[in-house]
Amino acid sequence: MNATATCPNGHVSGDPDWCDTCGAPMRGPGPEAQAQADPAGASAPTGGIAPLPCPHCGALNAADNLFCESCGYDFTTGQAPEPVAPPPAAPGAPDGASAGDPVGVTAAAPEPAAESGPAPWVVVVEVDAGWFALKGELADRPLPPPSTSTVPLRLHTSMVGRTSQSRAVRPEVALDTDTAVSRRHAQFVLEGDLLSVVDLASTNGTHVVKAGAVPDDDVVPLPSGVPTVLADGDQIFLGAWSRLTVRRT
């Protein structure tokens, strides 16, 4: 069973990575605690590896971070976070102007839409009772009823994880009911027809099992940050009961 923990800002959270209340990382001081400890923000780090600036927003991050803690920039692939949608147009404003735009100034052109048409790969998401028999101690709730859903993989990167509104985490493959899955657990990377999966330093690991095989106690999690090329029918096991099967269309 997953135990609750207290975040650096004093909130009780059931998530091992991020506080469910304020979104602070559970393994380090949150923004409130940092502000109290160093109100001027001028304390320089001592020892260890110096933090690195995010190329997208400039915020400092630990050298081993896979994502920017401030804006969500992906250090592994170089993908910038999704832009925030502009506010609705004010009544009587010119076409293309939002409610916050000065009169006569038009908003920037919208981002191009994601590719349409058939996806080269899909991932089939299922509840797996066999994996639960191996990893059920990670769960904080009983095994849910069997279910199956299919997610097309069209983007260059598709995140696997659990949705968090406070951290603006919106994974393409959302496993929200399996709390043994990290918020940013893994991601699929599509290069032409080649599909790979990368573990994003998840708490409980990402496990790849070849098509038709059954996982056992000897299955080894993937090393974090290292892409693993997938074949049609390969299975990815993660969390307490989640199985993802990739299929070439």
Side-chain angles (χ1 to χ4, degrees):
M1 300 289 288
N2 279 356
T4 58
T6 302
C7 85
N9 293 324
H11 306 123
V12 176
S13 173
D15 188 280
D17 297 323
W18 308 99
C19 175
D20 289 326
T21 300
C22 69
M26 299 296 288
R27 60 184 177 184
E32 297 172 19
Q34 288 176 338
Q36 294 174 1
D38 188 9
S43 297
T46 57
I49 302 175
L52 300 176
C54 170
H56 183 260
C57 71
L60 293 179
N61 287 263
D64 59 350
N65 274 17
L66 296 176
F67 287 89
C68 174
E69 297 286 356
S70 178
C71 71
Y73 177 85
D74 189 333
F75 292 114
T76 304
T77 65
Q79 184 177 20
E82 295 181 4
V84 178
D95 290 343
S98 67
D101 290 333
V103 176
V105 178
T106 57
E111 292 289 325
E115 294 182 15
S116 58
W121 291 80
V122 298
V123 56
V124 180
V125 181
E126 297 174 281
V127 172
D128 190 275
W131 186 246
F132 184 78
L134 296 174
K135 300 293 182 179
E137 74 277 1
L138 301 175
D140 62 356
R141 62 197 67 184
L143 178 70
S147 65
T148 301
S149 61
T150 301
V151 180
L153 300 178
R154 293 190 179 93
L155 303 176
H156 173 56
T157 60
S158 298
M159 187 191 300
V160 180
R162 291 189 298 119
T163 305
S164 171
Q165 298 299 333
S166 63
R167 301 294 299 181
V169 179
R170 294 179 290 273
E172 285 74 26
V173 183
L175 307 174
D176 293 344
T177 60
D178 190 343
T179 56
V181 173
S182 298
R183 294 291 185 190
R184 293 184 174 99
H185 194 108
Q187 69 181 8
F188 291 107
V189 180
L190 184 61
E191 297 280 1
D193 288 336
L194 194 66
L195 182 67
S196 58
V197 65
V198 183
D199 180 81
L200 301 178
S202 63
T203 299
N204 295 316
T206 303
H207 309 75
V208 173
V209 177
K210 293 301 180 183
V214 177
D216 55 28
D217 287 326
D218 296 327
V219 64
V220 177
L222 300 178
S224 297
V226 180
T228 297
V229 177
L230 300 171
D232 185 28
D234 281 354
Q235 308 163 91
I236 298 96
F237 290 88
L238 62 163
W241 59 67
S242 298
R243 178 180 68 188
L244 312 179
T245 305
V246 295
R247 297 289 185 187
R248 189 188 295 272
T249 59

